[in-house]
Amino acid sequence: MNAIELHKLRKTYTVKQGSGFGRKTAEVVAVDDISFEIPEGQSVAFIGPNGAGKSTTIKMLTGILHPTSGEASVLGLVPWQDRSKLAYQIGAVFGQRSQLWYHLPPSDTFELLARVYNIGKNDYRKRRDMLIERFGLAEFLNTAVRKLSLGQRMRAEIAASLLHNPKVLFLDEPTIGLDVVACQELRDLVSEWNRQEGLTVLLTSHDAGDIEAVAKRVLVINYGRVVLDDRVVTVRRRYMGSKILGVKFHEIPREIRIPGVTVLKASSYAMKLEVNTEVASIDRVIHKVIQAGPVADITIEDPPLEEIIAHIYSRVNEPDYEEEVIGLS
Amino acid sequence: MIASLRKYYWIALMAARTNLAYVGEVAARSVFLAILLYIYLRLWTITYAQSNATRLGDLSLEQMLWYLVATQSIYMSTPKVAQNLDQDVRTGTLAVQLVRPLSFPLYYLWNALGERSVRFGITFLVGSIVALILVGPAPLTVPGYLLLLAALPFAFCLDFLGYFLVGLGAFWLEDTSGVLLIYQKSVMLAGGLLIPMELFPDSIKPIVQALPFSSIVYGPAHLFVHPDLAELGNLLLKQGVAICGFTVCVWFVWTLAVKRVHAMGG
């Protein structure tokens, strides 16, 4: 069963341009007839450049915004018509906007949320204690939010959004501003929750690390349209068609010149090569590398997802770019 | 229904507790109130002396100062409803509350009531201490306190609705501070903050009394120094009518506004 379904969802805004008597109104298309489905329990990264329509889509799916046309359902409910009913079944974290009470400890916000979501006393205690343990909140549970680090605050934010046991979690740039360690902790927690509790996750982020760690599927949106829909691993494989080869030698190797291979970094006994697999096959390159000198170690890596995303964005911005929406098989 | 009331009661409780974190700010305001009350005392002392009257507008000098303690406490305890709502609309923070099973206007109302109860309590306490020192406890009566407490919740609700309407202007206006200034000055002047209604010129008194502002400030403060059950009945009726009218306006404007919520933050 699908947790989220969108069919030709569209949102336009009327904006005023110019000033004085010459002021005119123009229609801006924020979301342009997008359609996709997300099955229950799937984790999806919803990415795109600034102004692509990500937040507008999420806000329509949470019932905050009314669409101009089209249909959508979240857990069988129409979000903008059944906002209150849906609110009991979804959680949302907006990375730049806190739901925690700034001058009070997270424990107080939890108490309030228990009342807001009508959670029974026993259920609340069980759920709260589990979240405290899993999210490691005990050490700062009774400290005012204003005194917490950003990483601690975001852990508390996500725990608060899971308190009422939602079936779908919307994460809008949850790791923005976090350091590497805090980012990793948060990704692990969301990923674990997705796997163990069957939580459906729709994540927007500009951080490729979030996408890799949390999502199995990636939806790329630009100018309000879905321009790519595929598995994260497939996107990585398909979109760059390259591998990074790291080689260490016992002796100084001979010069390597192979069409489709670029030397990214080289020292006396080591080098990093980028292999365009459409031009040169990996086994041929490895064969040539072994011929160049005695190999001590060799590693093959995929290129960083940041580069893939940058590549997709640059392609979809090209005027002659042919829309390529790849359905999941 | 009970569960629904319980969630809003908790919101008020959280807002009240949050405001205890601002005791320093409220205390600083109270110092300002102490200075203000001393200046008022000097001004009214001269006014009473110059007019050779022991009572003005049916109030003695002592009652006048206690009246001012009540009006100033009501006015100075006003939460920043319009400014906060304006910010929430412009920054998109509104979204955080809209994804919850809550009524956004009711969330704001109970938040404001919780905040105001703490601010009013502290300001009124400090004002009372200053008035006790300056003029003594002469006009204080138990009925006065009870009638003040009976009229205040409705006065606060009515005032909230006014500020909330101003804040909703952010959905259409570039800047709501101009409208806010007009509303604040209307409460101040037509509400009887500085002068009781009885001292207004006869030509404008009926107009000012018919406006809802007097039900926010003058009404509860006058009952405090001049307790009268019939006056309480009239005041509650006026407050009730004004609250109904303002609620309809808020409901209508909010229904239009919520369709204009824009996605912020790309």
Side-chain angles (χ1 to χ4, degrees), chain A residues 6 9 11 13 30-31 34 36 46-66 92-97 170-174 176 202-206 219 221-222 224, chain B residues 91-92 95 99 261-266:
Chain A
L6 280 81
L9 199 68
K11 179 74 185 174
Y13 297 109
V31 174
I34 63 169
F36 62 81
F46 191 49
I47 63 169
N50 289 330
K54 305 183 297 286
S55 283
T56 307
T57 307
I58 284 204
K59 280 170 184 149
M60 285 193 281
L61 292 177
T62 48
I64 297 167
L65 291 179
H66 291 238
V93 175
F94 298 99
Q96 297 176 64
R97 278 141 214 151
F170 294 95
L171 297 169
D172 194 1
E173 299 189 27
I176 198 161
L202 185 62
L203 161 88
T204 77
S205 179
H206 288 293
L219 276 158
I221 184 173
N222 202 22
Chain B
T91 59
V99 290
V261 174
H262 287 195
M264 304 283 184

Side-chain angles (χ1 to χ4, degrees), chain A residues 44 53 59 105 266 281 294:
Chain A
V44 177
K59 280 170 184 149
S281 67

Side-chain angles (χ1 to χ4, degrees), chain B residues 13-14 20 52 62 74 76 108-109 123 135 139 168 182 195 201 207 213 237:
Chain B
L13 202 68
M14 295 278 281
L20 290 172
N52 278 329
E62 291 79 15
I74 292 169
M76 288 172 72
Y108 243 79
L109 168 68
T123 316
V135 293
L168 285 178
I182 293 170
I195 307 168
I207 302 166
F213 308 113
L237 184 69

Side-chain angles (χ1 to χ4, degrees), chain B residues 42-102:
Chain B
R42 303 308 308 157
L43 283 171
W44 283 106
T45 306
I46 293 165
T47 310
Y48 275 80
Q50 288 289 313
S51 53
N52 278 329
T54 51
R55 303 183 81 80
L56 282 174
D58 208 23
L59 298 179
S60 66
L61 180 62
E62 291 79 15
Q63 282 176 311
M64 186 63 80
L65 197 72
W66 278 97
Y67 170 82
L68 291 168
V69 168
T71 59
Q72 289 294 335
S73 300
I74 292 169
Y75 189 73
M76 288 172 72
S77 63
T78 311
K80 291 178 178 170
V81 173
Q83 297 98 315
N84 292 344
L85 181 55
D86 183 294
Q87 276 304 301
D88 283 358
V89 172
R90 289 184 206 289
T91 59
T93 309
L94 189 80
V96 175
Q97 299 309 332
L98 286 178
V99 290
R100 300 195 184 295
L102 288 169

Side-chain angles (χ1 to χ4, degrees), chain B residues 40 67-68 71-72 75 187-195 217-218:
Chain B
Y40 287 149
Y67 170 82
L68 291 168
T71 59
Q72 289 294 335
Y75 189 73
V187 174
M188 192 175 155
L189 297 171
L193 179 74
L194 305 172
I195 307 168
V217 185
Y218 165 80

Side-chain angles (χ1 to χ4, degrees), chain A residues 131-238:
Chain A
L131 287 164
I132 290 170
E133 194 198 325
R134 299 263 289 266
F135 281 73
L137 307 179
E139 56 176 317
F140 56 85
L141 190 68
N142 295 311
T143 307
V145 171
R146 67 175 187 275
K147 292 178 185 164
L148 302 183
S149 70
L150 191 58
Q152 289 173 326
R153 189 172 70 73
M154 284 313 295
R155 263 152 63 193
E157 289 276 0
I158 296 185
S161 68
L162 294 171
L163 194 68
H164 59 290
N165 201 10
K167 294 186 180 75
V168 178
L169 182 64
F170 294 95
L171 297 169
D172 194 1
E173 299 189 27
T175 57
I176 198 161
L178 295 185
D179 63 41
V180 180
V181 178
C183 267
Q184 198 50 50
E185 277 178 2
L186 212 68
R187 289 166 187 160
D188 291 346
L189 285 166
V190 175
S191 191
E192 183 189 320
W193 216 266
N194 164 249
R195 281 196 314 270
Q196 293 180 0
E197 307 269 327
L199 180 73
T200 307
V201 178
L202 185 62
L203 161 88
T204 77
S205 179
H206 288 293
D207 188 329
D210 290 353
I211 298 158
E212 275 195 297
V214 175
K216 297 278 179 292
R217 176 182 167 196
V218 62
L219 276 158
V220 183
I221 184 173
N222 202 22
Y223 297 114
R225 309 181 81 175
V226 175
V227 293
L228 181 86
D229 179 357
D230 214 331
R231 292 181 196 281
V232 174
V233 283
T234 314
V235 169
R236 181 191 278 285
R237 208 169 45 229
R238 192 188 305 250

